[in-house]
């Protein structure tokens, strides 16, 4: 286990709606005068100090937040576990001896330990929502493109987003309103939840028992109709596994994995080949597999992505949110291999559709936190935040 911070910052802070709140910054975001390490020592060696703050950091600072440090991230943000081969595993006080979740691991850990009030992170495939679930926190993955990623190390640009983790809904709403700015158009309040049985039936009995009461406690209409009602959705999609029919949700997961890997190699392949970084086992294997993909390998995945975009548009009109677990269960033990595929089946819908995803503390499984995930139509960020913090 390790400290969530890789560098402490002495920032006086300023005035504004976030005045007095401490900000922990994931080490993908530039801080002026400080090198950005992206969770890998070789990246740190090959990149100089940042000339200016990342836009998201600048906005939060201008609103009064006080930066207290940069935090550990999984290498180049390509993990959901929260275990860095070079910098260790930040503590998870909500689940001692277990991982905090990645790749926004240090930001989640700092907030969960009370060392910061706002944890700035990124979410490509669940890297805010999963740590929130494991650590008993609130977190928002915003609509893709609504929060600037200027000055942020990318992973998969058509999926990457920047959001925050907090201990309470009010702080989450305050911080995200600063990052989101004024909406282009108002969205209707959420009055209906879709808790589709085809997704819930895949979850363990313990997770269903812990999370479903949180859905019901919101006091809204709950519809359990399937999310994927087309039996042919994605059946012909194959990203390298044995050909054959798969469930629509698994098809979506495979599509996400293929597209993310393709984009990650386009973003970092040249640097990897030139700089020869040493990666931890999981990240090393993912980049090695990504290096072998060609454009033809992602054609089918792009078709599936278009299908998910259409489903989100149809199933989640304004006023409706998808309600599913934020993770398939509590945080794994340190050193235990997580079920990455089961996790991504729950997080990939928001990613593929560019939709906002809110994680809320929901309940416990064997006294360990598990979270609820609410996904709205793209642009529905404020409606999700109002549902979490109605005052």
């Amino acid at each position: 286990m390790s400290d969530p911070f890789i560098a402490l910052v002495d920032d006086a802070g300023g005035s504004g709606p976030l005045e007095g709140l401490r900000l922990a910054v994931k080490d993908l975001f530039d801080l002026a005068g400080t090198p950005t390490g992206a969770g890998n020592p070789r990246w740190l060696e090959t990149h100089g100090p940042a000339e200016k703050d990342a836009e998201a950091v600048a906005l939060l600072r201008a609103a009064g937040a006080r930066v207290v440090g940069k935090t550990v991230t999984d290498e180049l943000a390509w993990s959901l576990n929260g275990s860095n081969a070079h910098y260790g595993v930040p503590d998870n006080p909500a689940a001692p001896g277990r991982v905090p979740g990645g790749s926004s691991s240090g930001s989640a850990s700092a907030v969960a330990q009370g060392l910061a009030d706002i944890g700035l992170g990124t979410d490509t495939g669940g890297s805010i929502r999963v740590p929130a679930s494991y650590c008993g926190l609130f977190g928002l993955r915003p609509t893709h493109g609504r929060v600037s990623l200027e000055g942020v190390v990318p992973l998969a640009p058509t999926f990457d987003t920047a959001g925050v983790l907090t201990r309470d809904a009010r702080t989450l709403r305050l911080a995200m309103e600063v990052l989101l700015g004024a909406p282009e158009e108002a969205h209707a309040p959420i009055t209906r939840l879709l808790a589709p049985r085809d997704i819930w039936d895949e979850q363990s009995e313990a997770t269903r028992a812990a999370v479903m009461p949180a859905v019901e406690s919101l006091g809204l209409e709950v519809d359990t109709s399937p999310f994927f009602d087309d039996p042919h959705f994605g059946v012909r999609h194959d990203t390298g596994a044995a050909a054959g029919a798969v469930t629509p949700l698994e098809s979506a997961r495979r599509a996400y994995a293929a597209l993310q890997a393709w984009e990650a190699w386009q973003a970092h392949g040249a640097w990897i080949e030139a700089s020869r970084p040493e990666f931890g086992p999981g990240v090393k294997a993912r980049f090695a597999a990504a290096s072998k993909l060609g454009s033809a390998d992602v054609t089918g995945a792009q078709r599936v992505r278009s299908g998910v975009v259409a489903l989100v548009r149809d199933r989640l009109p304004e006023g409706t949110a998808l309600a599913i677990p934020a993770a398939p269960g509590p945080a794994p033990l340190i050193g235990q291999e997580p079920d990455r595929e089961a996790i991504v089946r729950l997080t990939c819908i928001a990613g593929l559709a560019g939709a906002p995803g809110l994680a809320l503390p929901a309940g416990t499984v064997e006294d360990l936190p598990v979270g609820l995930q609410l996904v709205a139509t793209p642009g529905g960020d404020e409606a999700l935040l109002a549902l979490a913090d109605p005052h």
Side-chain angles (χ1 to χ4, degrees), residues 229-332:
D229 67 353
D230 180 352
H232 302 295
F233 178 86
V235 161
R236 292 180 298 278
H237 173 54
D238 178 27
T239 60
V246 297
T247 67
L249 185 56
E250 171 61 11
S251 181
R253 192 226 31 108
R254 293 186 186 187
Y256 170 82
L259 292 169
Q260 182 197 39
W262 168 257
E263 292 188 21
W265 187 254
Q266 301 312 302
H268 297 303
W271 174 78
I272 290 170
E273 291 178 338
S275 301
R276 297 187 172 277
E278 180 180 337
F279 288 127
V283 177
K284 180 179 180 179
R286 285 189 282 278
F287 272 116
S291 71
K292 297 177 174 62
L293 291 176
S295 58
D297 295 308
V298 299
T299 300
Q302 290 166 338
R303 288 196 298 268
V304 173
R305 184 178 199 173
S306 296
V308 173
V309 169
L311 278 174
V312 166
R313 182 178 60 245
D314 293 344
R315 300 289 188 274
L316 304 180
E318 284 195 35
T320 297
L322 177 68
I324 57 178

Side-chain angles (χ1 to χ4, degrees), residues 2 25 32 34 62 70 73 82 84 87 98 115 149 174 185 247 279-280 324 327 331 343 345 348 365 376:
S2 69
V25 177
T34 302
K70 296 197 77 173
T73 175
N84 187 301
Y87 302 114
R98 294 175 181 262
L115 303 175
L149 291 173
L174 286 171
E185 57 181 297
T247 67
F279 288 127
I324 57 178
I343 296 170
R345 279 194 288 272
C348 69
V365 172

Side-chain angles (χ1 to χ4, degrees), residues 105-383:
S105 54
S107 293
S109 174
V111 172
Q113 292 186 65
L115 303 175
D117 304 297
I118 301 168
L120 181 59
T122 61
D123 188 310
T124 300
S127 290
I128 286 175
R129 291 164 288 161
V130 172
S133 184
Y134 288 175
C135 297
L137 301 173
F138 295 79
L140 182 75
R141 168 210 164 85
T143 295
H144 185 265
R146 280 208 61 184
V147 176
S148 172
L149 291 173
E150 180 185 348
V152 183
V153 178
L155 175 60
T158 72
F159 298 100
D160 294 345
T161 64
V164 302
L165 295 130
T166 64
R167 291 186 299 278
D168 63 272
R170 183 60 179 161
T171 303
L172 178 73
R173 186 172 184 176
L174 286 171
M176 285 307 309
E177 286 175 347
V178 169
L179 292 176
L180 292 167
E184 292 185 1
E185 57 181 297
H187 277 242
I190 293 170
T191 58
R192 174 178 172 270
L193 299 175
L194 175 61
R197 56 181 175 270
D198 55 339
I199 297 179
W200 279 89
D201 285 351
E202 287 196 12
Q203 311 311 310
S204 70
E205 182 178 349
T207 296
R208 292 197 304 269
V211 180
M212 183 55 77
V215 176
E216 297 165 347
S217 72
L218 292 171
L220 306 178
E221 174 192 349
V222 178
D223 180 359
T224 61
S225 301
F227 184 79
F228 299 96
D229 67 353
D230 180 352
H232 302 295
F233 178 86
V235 161
R236 292 180 298 278
H237 173 54
D238 178 27
T239 60
V246 297
T247 67
L249 185 56
E250 171 61 11
S251 181
R253 192 226 31 108
R254 293 186 186 187
Y256 170 82
L259 292 169
Q260 182 197 39
W262 168 257
E263 292 188 21
W265 187 254
Q266 301 312 302
H268 297 303
W271 174 78
I272 290 170
E273 291 178 338
S275 301
R276 297 187 172 277
E278 180 180 337
F279 288 127
V283 177
K284 180 179 180 179
R286 285 189 282 278
F287 272 116
S291 71
K292 297 177 174 62
L293 291 176
S295 58
D297 295 308
V298 299
T299 300
Q302 290 166 338
R303 288 196 298 268
V304 173
R305 184 178 199 173
S306 296
V308 173
V309 169
L311 278 174
V312 166
R313 182 178 60 245
D314 293 344
R315 300 289 188 274
L316 304 180
E318 284 195 35
T320 297
L322 177 68
I324 57 178
L333 291 164
I334 294 172
Q336 178 183 350
E337 189 65 25
D339 188 344
R340 184 179 174 86
E341 294 183 359
I343 296 170
V344 176
R345 279 194 288 272
L346 289 170
T347 61
C348 69
I349 292 173
L352 289 165
L358 172 71
L360 305 168
T364 60
V365 172
E366 298 181 354
D367 294 325
L368 301 169
V370 289
L372 168 65
Q373 177 184 185
L374 300 175
V375 178
T377 190
D381 309 67
E382 285 82 4

